[in-house]
Amino acid sequence: MKKTVLINTLWICLAWFGIPSVLAQQRTYCNPMDISYRYNFEQLNERISYRSGADPVIINHKGEYFLFVTISGGWWKSKDLVSWQYVVPDKWPMEDMCAPAALSVHDTLFLFQSTFEQRPIFYSTEPEKGKLKFYNRWLPRLPKDIGPWDPALFHDPDTDRWFMYWGSSNVYPIFGAELDHRRRLTYLNPEPSKAYQPMFWLDPWQHGWERFGPNHSDPIKPFTEGAWMTKYNGKYYLQYGAPGTEYNVYANGTYVGKDPLGPFEYAPYNPIAYKPGGYATGTGHGNTFQDHFGNYWNTGTTWLGIVWGMERRIVMHPAGFDKDDQLYANTRFGDFPHHLTTKKWTNSNELFTGWMLLNYKKPVTASSTLDTLRAELAVDENPRTFWVPTKNKPGETLTSDLGAEHDVRAVQVNYVDHKNTVFDSDSTVYTQFRLYASRDGKKWTKIADLTEQPKRDRACAYVELPAPVRARYVRYEHVYTAGPYVAINGFRVFGNGLGKAPATPAKLAVVRQKDQRNADISWEKVPGAVGYNILWGIAKDKLYQTYQIWNDQPNKLELRALNVGVPYYFAIESFNENGVSAVSEVVNR
């Protein structure tokens, strides 16, 4: 006991006196994921510069994780899902890889790009070293416009059969094809027009969440994409993304079958991963994988769309299968800090740290401001608004007044590429800043310093402090980012207040509309609340879905993500800087 107290006291002293947090091992992560997002070359001729990452696939291969992301020129490797090292491959398609398929079988990692033409399947037994070889140099071409775009490779270990799934269209369905391992994973049926078959189409008339647009409000025909296959308990879960990457409702769904090529049935609980509210909205087009401890995770894509329509970041959420073999992902507080797993967990909610957002729309000041790009735009939890100082030079500051003393545990600093001129993620592209804390706004203590860490680019820099720091003010001091401007769209301070959690919201009312895909939800606002989580699902113990609403927004919501003919259960909780309320009584509609 004395040793534990001594260690904790030491960490508190180290944090307070400015010893950088790099000395402590990071135990948490926060979405969007903190990786070195690469600059995209596609708009080079138009001189449009932006970092992006989308369509992630994380593969657990020989005790190490490998992350593949659209148009990134390579991949990342990690031992712990938080510290990602970029790997430069020894060969790579000139056009790069969009939405790559990756698969680990025994000692071999397979890799295949999206294409409408003939392209190779790569393999590697040393992906940690960037070593790639050709497995199938020239996969046959399929009929025009069929693909395979957004592919996924799947190996059934019980039958030793191999498959590919794909689809990215608002015209075509998700397709599937069996592959012939004896012929280097070419299509089992050599006739191109018979090599594949449809798996399923979107049905937005029955599935409200498959409707296009923000909050499913646009009549345009929705897109399906991002196929992925997971086998669990003898069943095949064919997953897909919909209805469009550029909206807050981008989600993952699943069909379930008893054979890898179906027939498939729409799962009663859908979508499986959905996050329409909060800072990092959207979680569509990713994959489902298991970590070293057997826990499931679901990855996805969150949209920025500031500089370019396809400017995105990536996220991951704890996932799993419940007692009824229902696949789900937990997005409750999905962009707040979560624990990294060190064992098999029994409830995905136990990964939430309980560290709350401390500075939502709190007073904030800046050393300088360019035009109307004001400091308060960095703390409004809108990823498409941002603060820009007059110059990109060391010493520019952004100071957040938390309103009272809190225990600060972590800070996330998110950047965007405002009028940037960078088009290559070379050695000049890296991120450096310092963080300071103060109780009175006069005496400041350094609590983190990225100049004392190895240089790397961090568009979504997440800094976990080794111990809580009592402070009212938190300051960002700029040191370096590449390009003519520094632009911050999220200065997010996490920790715990010293007061009480808010009360449970009262008078939750839910009315299903004549169109059963929609429900009108209202509740009574809670004094002192910062926001609310509307929870719903297909049973009282299956409230897997979350829609986060801020307290300064109306206390009503038209939820347009429901499935026709399915009864739902609803509840609500409130939260503030101090914690989360108890969940309300459940309402069945």
Side-chain angles (χ1 to χ4, degrees):
M1 177 64 73
K2 290 181 180 179
K3 182 178 180 181
T4 301
V5 172
L6 178 62
I7 291 174
N8 288 338
T9 303
L10 176 62
W11 277 125
I12 292 172
C13 292
L14 290 174
W16 184 251
F17 288 105
I19 304 300
S21 60
V22 70
L23 294 178
Q25 182 178 0
Q26 189 167 323
R27 297 159 293 175
T28 63
Y29 74 97
C30 187
N31 287 319
M33 288 177 63
D34 185 0
I35 67 168
S36 54
Y37 294 91
R38 315 302 285 179
Y39 276 94
N40 191 293
F41 68 88
E42 291 178 299
Q43 281 69 48
L44 174 63
N45 293 330
E46 292 78 14
R47 308 304 292 171
I48 300 174
S49 166
Y50 63 99
R51 284 165 288 189
S52 186
D55 317 321
V57 172
I58 295 179
I59 299 296
N60 190 341
H61 178 70
K62 295 196 299 185
E64 194 164 12
Y65 302 105
F66 294 89
L67 167 63
F68 301 88
V69 177
T70 284
I71 308 181
S72 295
W75 56 83
W76 290 261
K77 65 179 180 179
S78 173
K79 296 288 189 181
D80 57 9
L81 290 176
V82 65
S83 300
W84 294 94
Q85 180 183 352
Y86 184 70
V87 178
V88 179
D90 60 1
K91 58 173 61 68
W92 200 249
M94 292 295 293
E95 68 273 22
D96 215 310
M97 286 198 183
C98 184
L103 174 68
S104 172
V105 180
H106 306 307
D107 67 342
T108 304
L109 191 148
F110 297 86
L111 187 63
F112 181 60
Q113 69 190 99
S114 294
T115 182
F116 289 104
E117 302 296 333
Q118 292 177 283
R119 290 295 184 270
I121 295 176
F122 295 96
Y123 79 100
S124 177
T125 55
E126 298 179 294
E128 70 280 2
K129 298 180 181 179
K131 302 293 185 180
L132 277 184
K133 298 180 180 179
F134 292 111
Y135 190 78
N136 183 327
R137 190 64 182 258
W138 215 231
L139 201 67
R141 181 185 288 111
L142 297 180
K144 185 178 183 296
D145 299 332
I146 294 300
W149 198 267
D150 287 4
L153 294 169
F154 172 67
H155 171 251
D156 189 339
D158 299 317
T159 63
D160 198 29
R161 296 168 67 194
W162 298 69
F163 301 87
M164 184 188 292
Y165 306 91
W166 69 89
S168 180
S169 172
N170 66 346
V171 176
Y172 295 107
I174 293 292
F175 291 106
E178 186 163 0
L179 306 180
D180 189 345
H181 188 241
R182 296 169 301 176
R183 295 190 297 127
R184 295 284 179 170
L185 296 183
T186 192
Y187 303 109
L188 184 64
N189 192 321
E191 174 59 42
S193 63
K194 298 179 181 179
Y196 60 94
Q197 62 190 71
M199 300 290 98
F200 53 79
W201 281 261
L202 292 183
D203 188 0
W205 299 272
Q206 297 293 317
H207 312 149
W209 72 275
E210 292 180 352
R211 288 177 290 182
F212 201 62
N215 292 311
H216 312 292
S217 60
D218 198 314
I220 293 176
K221 194 173 181 181
F223 286 78
T224 183
E225 53 195 0
W228 183 260
M229 174 62 81
T230 301
K231 186 177 184 180
Y232 178 80
N233 202 14
K235 301 174 185 176
Y236 299 88
Y237 294 75
L238 182 50
Q239 298 145 64
Y240 63 105
T245 189
E246 65 271 43
Y247 297 110
N248 67 317
V249 293
Y250 197 33
N252 292 324
T254 190
Y255 280 70
V256 185
K258 296 180 180 180
D259 184 87
L261 292 179
F264 290 98
E265 294 184 1
Y266 185 71
Y269 169 75
N270 259 309
I272 58 170
Y274 187 67
K275 191 183 180 300
Y279 177 79
T281 59
T283 183
H285 194 150
N287 81 310
T288 301
F289 71 96
Q290 284 183 279
D291 64 23
H292 300 330
F293 312 99
N295 303 299
Y296 283 93
W297 296 82
N298 186 264
T299 67
T301 306
T302 184
W303 183 66
L304 282 181
I306 299 171
V307 180
W308 186 254
M310 295 294 106
E311 181 186 12
R312 295 164 289 180
R313 302 286 187 261
I314 62 175
V315 295
M316 69 176 188
H317 299 100
F321 295 85
D322 66 18
K323 65 182 187 302
D324 299 314
D325 291 352
Q326 173 62 60
L327 174 60
Y328 69 94
N330 187 346
T331 64
R332 176 177 173 264
F333 294 113
D335 49 31
F336 286 22
H338 277 62
H339 293 293
L340 293 166
T341 53
T342 57
K343 62 181 181 179
K344 182 74 173 177
W345 45 259
T346 58
N347 186 322
S348 57
N349 280 317
E350 68 190 62
L351 297 184
F352 176 45
T353 60
W355 301 349
M356 311 308 295
L357 182 66
L358 302 179
N359 64 333
Y360 173 66
K361 292 189 176 179
K362 296 284 184 70
V364 60
T365 57
S367 55
S368 67
T369 299
L370 179 67
D371 300 328
T372 60
L373 302 174
R374 307 177 306 277
E376 57 263 35
L377 299 179
V379 297
D380 63 0
E381 287 293 278
N382 181 348
R384 280 167 287 284
T385 63
F386 48 91
W387 163 69
V388 179
T390 53
K391 293 182 180 180
N392 183 356
K393 61 181 177 59
E396 295 283 359
T397 61
L398 190 64
T399 304
S400 185
D401 179 357
L402 307 182
E405 289 191 358
H406 296 72
D407 285 337
V408 177
R409 302 299 304 266
V411 177
Q412 187 185 53
V413 182
N414 295 283
Y415 299 86
V416 293
D417 292 288
H418 175 67
K419 296 183 179 180
N420 215 334
T421 56
V422 179
F423 296 93
D424 184 19
S425 297
D426 58 19
S427 61
T428 67
V429 178
Y430 58 92
T431 304
Q432 289 184 335
F433 59 79
R434 299 183 182 94
L435 295 174
Y436 295 86
S438 173
R439 290 186 171 188
D440 58 8
K442 298 177 182 179
K443 182 181 178 180
W444 293 89
T445 302
K446 184 170 65 173
I447 58 175
D449 191 344
L450 266 63
T451 68
E452 299 177 5
Q453 301 179 15
K455 291 180 180 179
R456 65 184 180 96
D457 191 27
R458 303 179 67 176
C460 303
Y462 174 67
V463 178
E464 174 192 344
L465 304 183
V469 173
R470 185 69 54 85
R472 172 174 173 170
Y473 302 90
V474 177
R475 173 172 291 170
Y476 164 92
E477 180 185 272
H478 184 65
V479 178
Y480 179 85
T481 56
Y485 298 98
V486 52
I488 295 176
N489 69 333
F491 182 41
R492 313 176 72 213
V493 180
F494 296 100
N496 297 106
L498 307 181
K500 295 181 179 181
T504 301
K507 299 182 180 180
L508 174 65
V510 181
V511 179
R512 293 285 288 270
Q513 297 179 5
K514 183 178 180 181
D515 183 343
Q516 292 186 17
R517 299 173 296 177
N518 309 328
D520 294 311
I521 304 173
S522 62
W523 62 95
E524 194 172 77
K525 285 196 173 187
V526 174
V530 172
Y532 308 91
N533 287 328
I534 298 170
L535 311 172
W536 77 97
I538 61 173
K540 284 187 176 182
D541 60 347
K542 296 178 184 285
L543 303 182
Y544 302 139
Q545 302 286 17
T546 303
Y547 203 127
Q548 184 178 304
I549 303 289
W550 298 109
N551 189 55
D552 57 3
Q553 297 174 310
N555 55 324
K556 59 182 180 180
L557 171 71
E558 183 186 38
L559 181 63
R560 298 171 56 85
L562 307 180
N563 296 309
V564 173
V566 177
Y568 286 92
Y569 295 80
F570 300 84
I572 190 171
E573 62 186 4
S574 64
F575 62 89
N576 62 12
E577 299 92 337
N578 307 310
V580 188
S581 76
V583 177
S584 72
E585 291 292 326
V586 176
V587 175
N588 178 219
R589 294 292 184 268

